[in-house]
Amino acid sequence: PSSSSSLLHYRHKGLQEQLCRFTTQSNYHHKKREYSVAAATTTNNFLTPRQIVDLEEHILQTLNSPSTTQLIDPILNKHIGKFNNTDSSSLGWINSISTKTTTDNRQEKTIKVKTSIKLPSLLHPSLSTIITNIKNVVQQATSNFLSSNIQQQQEEKETINIKVDVQVSTHKPKPFVRNQKELDELIRNLGPGLANVAHFVAVYSCKGGVGKSTVAVN
């Protein structure tokens, strides 16, 4: 019995050592995998904060410039940017710009530019054309900035990928009132259900069955 107990003891100890080695190897490979994944997604700001601010200002100035004729709305025949606070010949749809720089594990550098615009309606018939024109303008403005401010300082010009994303949203409709008193009176007369209605369009016809209800609903 004593020899059997010793044999079982040594076998149990051997299993424990094997299990310990297996656990150690598993943890090592798991940590190695975590490190490799983290290294592949390392973010590196190859532009300084000052350069990023200058880049965003340059893009905004280009988008809001009267000379950027690609951004003239084909329906309203007005520029979608905003020239100044008092100008009525521009629409002021450009909302904001944000940029992000990344460097992947192959040392490929990328600038991601997100442009936010606000339109009166998402049903604009030329919305896809407007988005395409904005992407082209932002792409060219970013490339020009890099060429004149960053790459000319380098002995060998390196390739920097530029990705542009355009996010579209709509303004919340507001009734045409000049102060809170007029808004309160409007809601009192029309009811709270029409508090956010900006425009009223009358649909009528002297003949039935021409689609009045269909137009009104849609």
Side-chain angles (χ1 to χ4, degrees), residues 139-154:
Q139 181 95 15
Q140 188 61 48
T142 305
S143 179
N144 293 342
F145 178 87
L146 293 176
S147 299
S148 60
N149 295 276
I150 308 299
Q151 294 175 337
Q152 70 174 4
Q153 302 173 2
Q154 302 171 348

Side-chain angles (χ1 to χ4, degrees), residues 183-197 200:
L183 178 61
D184 294 340
E185 184 179 358
L186 181 69
I187 295 176
R188 184 168 55 254
N189 294 334
L190 300 179
L194 299 177
N196 293 324
V197 175
F200 298 91

Side-chain angles (χ1 to χ4, degrees), residues 67-116:
S67 61
T68 312
T69 56
Q70 306 99 302
L71 299 183
I72 294 179
D73 183 274
I75 306 299
L76 302 175
N77 199 28
K78 290 185 177 183
H79 199 285
I80 67 172
K82 190 171 186 178
F83 301 156
N84 53 61
N85 294 328
T86 59
D87 186 79
S88 60
S89 61
S90 56
L91 299 170
W93 290 352
I94 306 297
N95 188 40
S96 63
I97 291 287
S98 64
T99 58
K100 182 180 180 182
T101 60
T102 59
T103 304
D104 61 15
N105 58 334
R106 294 176 297 179
Q107 297 303 309
E108 289 188 358
K109 298 179 179 180
T110 302
I111 294 180
K112 298 179 180 179
V113 184
K114 182 171 67 175
T115 307
S116 174

Side-chain angles (χ1 to χ4, degrees), residues 25-35:
Q25 291 176 355
S26 299
N27 290 338
Y28 169 76
H29 289 298
H30 181 68
K31 289 184 178 298
K32 185 177 180 181
R33 180 179 177 275
E34 284 184 344
Y35 174 78

Side-chain angles (χ1 to χ4, degrees), residues 104-163:
D104 61 15
N105 58 334
R106 294 176 297 179
Q107 297 303 309
E108 289 188 358
K109 298 179 179 180
T110 302
I111 294 180
K112 298 179 180 179
V113 184
K114 182 171 67 175
T115 307
S116 174
I117 62 174
K118 281 192 174 183
L119 276 67
S121 171
L122 296 180
L123 300 177
H124 193 294
S126 301
L127 180 57
S128 59
T129 302
I130 291 175
I131 292 176
T132 301
N133 291 342
I134 290 175
K135 287 184 177 181
N136 292 337
V137 170
V138 172
Q139 181 95 15
Q140 188 61 48
T142 305
S143 179
N144 293 342
F145 178 87
L146 293 176
S147 299
S148 60
N149 295 276
I150 308 299
Q151 294 175 337
Q152 70 174 4
Q153 302 173 2
Q154 302 171 348
E155 295 181 359
E156 296 183 2
K157 291 186 178 181
E158 56 184 348
T159 302
I160 300 178
N161 301 316
I162 302 173
K163 296 182 179 180

Side-chain angles (χ1 to χ4, degrees), residues 42-61:
T42 299
T43 299
N44 180 18
N45 292 328
F46 54 88
L47 295 181
T48 65
R50 180 69 259 175
Q51 289 173 331
I52 291 177
V53 171
D54 290 341
L55 171 59
E56 292 178 353
E57 288 182 353
H58 175 70
I59 295 174
L60 278 176
Q61 288 177 358

